[in-house]
Structures are given as structure tokens and as C-alpha cells.
Amino acid sequence: MRETAPVRGHLPDENPGFVGRRTELERVSAALAEHRLVTVTGVGGVGKTRLVLRAAHRAADGHPDGAWWTDLSQLDGDRLLVPLVADSVDLADHTPGMSTTGLCRRLADARLLLVLDSCEHLAESCARLVAELLAAAPGLTVLATSRRPLGVRGERVVALDPLPPAGRDALELLRRAAGEDLPAAGPAGEICVRLEGIPLALELAAAQIRLQGAEAVRDQLDTRLDAPPDARFDLLAHTERVWPSRHQTLRAAIGWSHELSTPLERLLWARLSVFRGPFDLASATAVCAGGPLDRTTLPGALDGLVRSSVVRPPDAAGGLRMLDTLRAYGATWLDRTGETATVAERHAAHFLGLARRAETAWHGARQLRWYRTVDAHHTDLRTALDRLLRTDPDAALDLVGSVAFAWSCRGRLHEARDGLERALLLSGTRGRARARALWALGVTLVLQGESGAAQEVSERCAREARYTEHAGASPYEGAPRGDRDRDRDRDRDRGRDRDRPGDLTLDAAALAGLIALTTGRPMAAHVVVGHVLDAARGGPADSAARLRCRLVRVFALTGLGRLAEARERALRLRARCEELDEHWIRTALEYQLALTGLLEGDPVAAADHARAMLEGTRGLGAGLGVALGLDVLATALAAAGDGERAADVSGTGEAYWRSTGQPRRGLPGLRALSEKYADTARATIGEPAYEEIFVRALTGPPQAGLDRALRVPRQG
């Protein structure tokens, strides 16, 4: 019997404060049933996101491939539009070339609902992308929010007005947000009318009700909103995009909240506008402290902004953020204070420092923590990179070289490649930062299947490593100061021999060996990494670069048929990684041990190692690693005679391969084994049964298939 599986897709949890909108929900639902593009329009703060999220949850079951959410408010410009949409639909795009191609291929046969939230600042780019996707994917439906229509042919526009000011829904929203059972007759009802039923304005008023009481809030609004527009809270002149001339009430409500904030809260509000993604207290302090807003006063100011609903409370991951409308208001005040450039520089410097710490911590017990930190702060790392590419290309090269490997592991290959190529082009610096960036670019190209381009970059990486470590350049150039001091002390204590390869040369060799492995040349891989490992000074696991070289050597030995030696080296290296709490190398070693088990005729051991690999790659969010692991597990199950489970795992693997945008691939030895044992499984259970199970897994939720694959069958 087929197991019950969760619905495919990803939607944020609904806002528990959602109130009313029954008629509007029906209009959106009806439009989705008849049109492939539905755009909900309305002014900022009117509740477009909440309505569309509720509508998407209601519509998800009607789309076999689920509903997927993309928050576009985090983008400042359209260059990362396609990668963000691809990431939102779980496309860890490993294809070379234009990322739009991979996205179109991913969605071509899909029957899903794609939600694009906050399109207004990218309306033209969104319109082009949506038109291209709808043409390429007949089963695709797009639901968008924007302050104006996208203008795509066939678009159905649903205009969203505020809640009826004197109706029960506006009052209920105010009650829920304030946490009080406010009577309809009296100040609460008057507040709803004065604020014209605008949800965001009502939430800001509710925050003040919690602090001051409904009567005081009503009196303040009566005084302020009756004043001439130019006299309200010293309001700023905002662009039409942010403050439509036909709707000044929300502008006044935000200005009122701004006036009620303390001077320190207003200053923090302005400075926090530089963050485009979620932030925490540590990041806010690093970027926003200065002048009267210091490390002792900033936490209180931040708490005040949370209490007044200017900053959203922490999410499940502890991240804080502002709604786009409130962030835009703060950005205008930041510009008025003349601090825009200064705060942006602090923001870039902070995330450059975070990137450097993440790269340093890769070799050690904090690897997984920092990997997740880089992922959580991805939006602001990209924002910092974009600024540094304009203002300080050398720093940009340092930043992207520090995080690009983590981005590639996470499946963000287009972003890693784009950032690396731009920084390498714009920066003229030589030394460690450049060698590291070339290594990361080479790995990215390998993962995209571009072996020719990767080979050229590999040669450049090796030259840069030699220049840095053996020619007049400082090998510490581009490294954080603490790292430079530590490395200089270490090399002085050891009496550093400049003729011996260092970590940059080791990584260059690991890259060359990786290319050789993926192009079917295990002997070349073994020779190149063996040469530098034998010549390098230090212990076998002194650095991440040494571990990477040793990993390549293990795979090379496997490819050469020296299986006992490969297994023995792999087990020793895995034990060292466990001592270090190193995850990435350990996961790759489980893959190698699974492959060795297959080649030695031990499918049970191979399946155990494959499951260990899958647990690791799932924790890293590495879609390509999951696809590779499912392939070796399916092969092991088929070799063990379990044709039904082999078909199920193979179908799930195909689904993950499609999410990478690439056909199935892997080491040459595994491909031959997979084909051999797949034929055996088909013969064991019959072609029709195999195909039925395979297709069912392929078209089902991939996560559910992965969960099934990780279950160890009971021994009968």
C-alpha cells in the first residue's frame, strides 16, 4: 500500500492574525481556477502578502507538484531574481549557462503554483521572467503580489482594498494584534475608522494600545490625522512607489509610530533599514552601533521597536526583520541623516568579517554551525558583496572566496560562479584571496559539469598558488589579521621551507585531482595529489586543504581498483574527521565506502554507508549529494536482491537529479554498476512492476522518498 506523503512544495506558515477577507479569498481562488497568472495589487500595508499566503495554502492541494513561495522583497535589483526563484522551487541548479534555462527545464513538466511576493520594485523583470516560464511550463500557475499589475498577457488582476473601516473584520484585527477584547463602541472602533481599515496601520496602532491604552491612541490619532498633511509628524516626501498620493493614511500612521519612538529607536530604525534579510542582535549591534546608540543602549532600542511592531519578533531561527514598507521608510530617514553610505560600509564590513570567520572555521568542530550561519545570512552576504564589487573589489574577492564553496555545497552554483567571476575580473590583487577564489570557481565549474573551463581555472589556480607561496608575494595577503599572525608564528616556529607546498598548492592539487576523477583519469588524480601530499610539511589533517587532497587520493585508489587500500585509508580519514567533527569530508567518505562495498561484493555494507552519506548530505542541504547517494543506495539494494526498494529509491534519485537540472552522473565505475544491477532488479520483479514503483517515487514528494530510503528494513 502506498504510504501517505506530505504535500509537495514550500509555503511559510500562515499569520495567526489573519482576519476576514472571505470575499477576496473567493475572488483569488476563482481567478486561479481560470487563469495561469493572477496578480493581487494594492498599496503597501493593505495585506496582499497575507491574503495570497492564505490563498496559496488553500490552492496547494489542487497542484500535484505543490505550491512554492518566493519573497522578492530581499532583492535590490534583478540580477539575482532567477537564482532566488530557482532556490525557492528547490532547484539546486548545477547547469552551466543562463540560469533561466535550468529553471524553465525544472518547471517544464511541473504542475505547480509559484507565488512571487513583492514584485513591484522588479515589475518589468518579473514580467519577462513570468512570461518566459509560462511559455515553457504549460502546467505552471503564478500567483503574484505587486503594487501594480505586471502587464503580462493573460494576467488576471485582483485589486485589494483595505478592510471596511467600520466593519467587524477591522476591529477583530485590532483586537487580536492588541491582545485585548476591545469593545466596538468607543475608542477601538474610532481608531479603525481613522486608519481606514489598513491592516499595517491597525497593527502599529495595536502596538501602541498595548503600551498606552486605546483611548490615548484614539486621541493622538484625532489630533495628528486632522492636521494638514504637511504638518503631520514632519513627514518626508516619498516616492510614488512607496507612498501613493491617493493613500496618505498609512504614511501618516507610520509617521505617527516614528514620532512615538524614542530618539534612539528612530536612529536604530533608520540604520536597520540596511538589512535586507533577517538579522540578530549581534549583527544589529555590529552594523548599527555608533554615537549615542552603543552596545548598552542598542538592545533596549531594539526591544522598543519590537514592542511597537516596527520590527517583527524573532522567528523560529531567532531572526528579526522589518516589513518592506517600514524598511523603506527607515531608509529614507537614513538618507536624510546623511548616514546611508556609512551604514552600508559598516554592513559590508560586518558581513566580510562573518565570511572570513566562516572560512576559517570550516576546518573544525564549528563547521556545520558556520555553514548554517552562511546560509541564514545569505541575503545580506549578497548585499554586502554587491556593494563591495562597486566600492572595493579586492574586499569583494575576499568575501566571495570565503563563502563560495559553502554556496556551491548548498546548490547556489550560479550565484557562486557569478560572484567569483565578477570579483576576479574587477580585482587586481594577487595572493591568497585570488588563489582561494580561483579554487572555489574551479570546484563550481566541476559541479556544473564544465570540465574544460574547470581545467583552465585549475591551471590559473596552481600558478597563483605558486606565486603566492614561492615567489615574492606574501602568502598571508588577503587573510584576516588574526589568521596572518597565527600562520606567521606557525611558519616561524617550524622554520618554514619556501620550497614546500602550502595549503594553497594543496587545494590547487585537490582541484586538479577532482577534475581528473570526474573525467575518468584516476591515475592522474592519484599522482597529482600524492606529489603535493608527500612534499607538504605538517600532519595529515592539519588543514582543510590536506583533508581534501587525502579525499581525492582515496577516490583515486578506488578508481584504480586498489580497494583494500582505499577502504583502509578512508576509514582512517573518517575517524580523523569524526574527531574534528568535520562533516563535508566525512559525508564524501561515506560515498566512497559505499562504492567500495559495491565493488567488493558487499551490498549490505554499501547500503549502510550510502544511508550515512544521505544523512550527512541532507543536513548540509546538498541536493547533488543526495542525488549521488540515492544512486549508490539504489544500486546496493538491487545488488542485494531487493528490487522493489531499489526501484523506489531510484525513482526518488531521478527526482533529485532533475532538481539539479542535470542528467544522472557520477563516477564512471558507479554508472556501470548501476546499469548492471538496475537490469537485475527489473528482471527480478518484472519490468511493469519496476516502472510503476519508479514512476510513483519520481512523481511523489522527494522528501518523502528520501525518508523512505533512509529507513533500514527489518530483518525477517
Side-chain angles (χ1 to χ4, degrees):
M1 179 179 293
R2 185 176 181 180
E3 299 179 47
T4 301
V7 176
R8 300 182 77 169
H10 169 71
L11 294 173
D13 293 334
E14 290 192 66
N15 189 323
F18 187 89
V19 172
R21 298 296 197 189
R22 288 172 292 278
T23 300
E24 293 88 341
L25 272 171
E26 293 303 325
R27 290 172 59 200
V28 173
S29 297
L32 287 172
E34 298 182 5
H35 301 272
R36 297 181 59 210
L37 171 60
V38 177
T39 304
V40 176
T41 63
V43 297
V46 80
K48 299 185 296 295
T49 297
R50 293 186 202 184
L51 175 68
V52 163
L53 182 56
R54 172 62 64 92
H57 274 283
R58 289 181 57 174
D61 287 342
H63 297 269
D65 293 310
W68 306 79
W69 185 271
T70 310
D71 176 13
L72 301 181
S73 66
Q74 60 188 283
L75 294 182
D76 183 15
D78 63 359
R79 195 165 50 80
L80 298 176
L81 172 61
V82 175
L84 180 62
V85 175
D87 190 51
S88 73
V89 297
D90 278 357
L91 172 59
D93 190 2
H94 289 66
T95 58
M98 294 298 294
S99 52
T100 309
T101 304
L103 183 56
C104 287
R105 187 182 299 116
R106 159 76 170 88
L107 300 179
D109 298 322
R111 293 171 295 168
L112 61 78
L113 175 65
L114 174 63
V115 186
L116 302 177
D117 186 38
S118 301
C119 296
E120 54 273 350
H121 62 304
L122 303 170
E124 293 182 1
S125 300
C126 285
R128 288 193 296 270
L129 176 60
V130 167
E132 189 170 349
L133 293 178
L134 291 174
L140 174 66
T141 300
V142 177
L143 176 59
T145 72
S146 180
R147 291 175 188 166
R148 59 187 176 92
L150 299 183
V152 176
R153 184 177 180 181
E155 178 183 30
R156 173 68 170 178
V157 177
V158 177
L160 185 63
D161 294 321
L163 295 167
R168 63 182 182 181
D169 289 342
L171 180 62
E172 181 60 23
L173 175 59
L174 188 69
R175 285 170 172 165
R176 291 191 188 183
E180 296 184 30
D181 186 15
L182 302 166
E190 295 175 45
I191 290 170
C192 293
V193 172
R194 298 300 276 155
L195 294 178
E196 301 180 8
I198 303 169
L200 178 56
L202 293 173
E203 284 192 343
L204 294 172
Q208 294 302 324
I209 289 174
R210 294 195 300 268
L211 298 172
Q212 306 181 58
E215 189 171 345
V217 170
R218 186 270 317 274
D219 293 343
Q220 290 176 20
L221 289 174
D222 283 345
T223 301
R224 299 304 189 181
L225 293 179
D226 284 339
D230 292 342
R232 297 175 185 170
F233 326 118
D234 189 26
L235 293 178
L236 301 174
H238 291 270
T239 65
E240 175 70 15
R241 179 174 67 83
V242 178
W243 306 113
S245 58
R246 67 183 182 276
H247 205 338
Q248 298 297 330
T249 299
L250 179 61
R251 171 183 173 181
I254 295 176
W256 168 65
S257 292
H258 189 262
E259 184 187 65
L260 292 176
S261 300
T262 67
L264 289 181
E265 289 169 357
R266 290 197 291 267
L267 180 59
L268 181 58
W269 183 345
R271 291 177 178 175
L272 285 174
S273 66
V274 74
F275 288 95
R276 301 200 71 89
F279 56 87
D280 54 21
L281 175 61
S283 293
T285 302
V287 173
C288 301
L293 197 61
D294 57 29
R295 292 183 177 274
T296 60
T297 58
L298 190 146
L302 183 57
D303 287 343
L305 292 178
V306 173
R307 286 195 302 271
S308 61
S309 293
V310 173
V311 171
R312 294 299 187 190
D315 57 22
L320 302 151
R321 68 184 307 159
M322 281 192 287
L323 291 179
D324 190 46
T325 302
L326 299 175
R327 188 180 62 79
Y329 186 88
T332 308
W333 276 98
L334 186 65
D335 186 61
R336 195 184 199 195
T337 64
E339 288 192 337
T340 298
T342 300
V343 177
E345 288 170 3
R346 287 185 201 158
H347 177 273
H350 171 68
F351 284 100
L352 172 59
L354 184 147
R356 286 170 168 170
R357 293 193 299 277
E359 194 262 343
T360 301
W362 187 264
H363 183 63
R366 297 178 297 165
Q367 182 189 84
L368 192 57
R369 173 194 155 197
W370 276 102
Y371 178 82
R372 290 170 176 165
T373 297
V374 167
D375 195 45
H377 291 288
H378 178 70
T379 298
D380 282 292
L381 283 165
R382 283 296 333 205
T383 300
L385 175 60
D386 287 343
R387 176 170 182 81
L388 292 173
L389 285 168
R390 296 191 302 269
T391 63
D392 189 349
D394 292 348
L397 185 69
D398 192 4
L399 187 153
V400 72
S402 297
V403 298
F405 183 64
W407 286 357
S408 294
C409 291
R410 180 64 174 76
R412 294 188 170 108
L413 271 69
H414 279 286
E415 293 183 66
R417 181 174 179 176
D418 173 74
L420 288 164
E421 289 180 339
R422 294 178 68 207
L424 285 164
L425 179 65
L426 294 172
S427 172
T429 189
R430 299 290 305 274
R432 180 179 183 272
R434 192 169 201 85
R436 185 184 55 194
L438 287 166
W439 167 76
L441 178 58
V443 172
T444 301
L445 292 168
V446 170
L447 292 175
Q448 288 187 317
E450 290 206 61
S451 56
Q455 182 64 47
E456 187 270 333
V457 170
S458 173
E459 293 167 2
R460 290 168 58 194
C461 179
R463 290 195 297 270
E464 195 66 32
R466 286 195 298 271
Y467 167 82
T468 304
E469 294 179 342
H470 305 303
S474 168
Y476 316 107
E477 183 180 344
R481 181 175 179 178
D483 294 345
R484 293 198 304 266
D485 294 343
R486 180 200 64 203
D487 292 345
R488 285 192 181 106
D489 291 344
R490 182 191 65 193
D491 290 341
R492 183 175 58 250
D493 292 342
R494 290 176 177 174
R496 182 176 184 268
D497 183 350
R498 293 185 66 87
D499 292 331
R500 291 184 178 272
D503 282 349
L504 296 178
T505 299
L506 284 162
D507 260 337
L511 173 58
L514 177 63
I515 296 169
L517 286 174
T518 56
T519 53
R521 297 177 291 121
M523 179 57 77
H526 185 264
V527 169
V528 70
V529 297
H531 175 73
V532 295
L533 281 171
D534 291 343
R537 183 185 297 276
D542 278 358
S543 69
R546 293 173 191 273
L547 289 179
R548 287 189 279 261
C549 274
R550 293 182 69 194
L551 175 67
V552 170
R553 181 161 62 182
V554 164
F555 275 98
L557 289 169
T558 306
L560 291 170
R562 295 160 62 177
L563 301 181
E565 183 181 358
R567 185 179 65 256
E568 187 270 334
R569 285 181 178 270
L571 290 171
R572 278 194 284 131
L573 185 55
R574 188 184 67 173
R576 187 69 183 104
C577 288
E578 288 172 348
E579 292 173 8
L580 294 168
D581 198 22
E582 202 284 346
H583 291 260
W584 188 82
I585 297 288
R586 194 190 326 173
T587 296
L589 286 167
E590 296 290 1
Y591 178 73
Q592 184 275 336
L593 287 166
L595 180 59
T596 302
L598 281 172
L599 294 170
E600 290 182 324
D602 189 350
V604 175
D608 288 341
H609 288 300
R611 289 191 181 94
M613 180 219 180
L614 287 168
E615 288 285 8
T617 52
R618 181 164 68 170
L620 293 169
L624 178 61
V626 171
L628 289 166
L630 287 168
D631 276 0
V632 73
L633 177 58
T635 304
L637 291 169
D642 192 345
E644 291 185 358
R645 287 177 61 82
D648 183 54
V649 173
S650 185
T652 302
E654 178 63 22
Y656 273 94
W657 275 113
R658 292 186 182 185
S659 76
T660 71
Q662 289 198 10
R664 268 187 154 112
R665 60 183 173 92
L667 294 179
L670 178 61
R671 289 199 294 270
L673 284 173
S674 296
E675 292 172 2
K676 170 186 174 182
Y677 287 116
D679 290 341
T680 301
R682 290 174 187 272
T684 300
I685 65 173
E687 182 72 22
Y690 187 97
E691 283 300 314
E692 179 184 355
I693 297 171
F694 180 92
V695 171
R696 190 167 60 203
L698 170 62
T699 57
Q703 183 60 55
L706 179 57
D707 289 341
R708 292 194 304 274
L710 287 169
R711 295 187 195 124
V712 179
R714 295 178 180 176
Q715 299 299 319

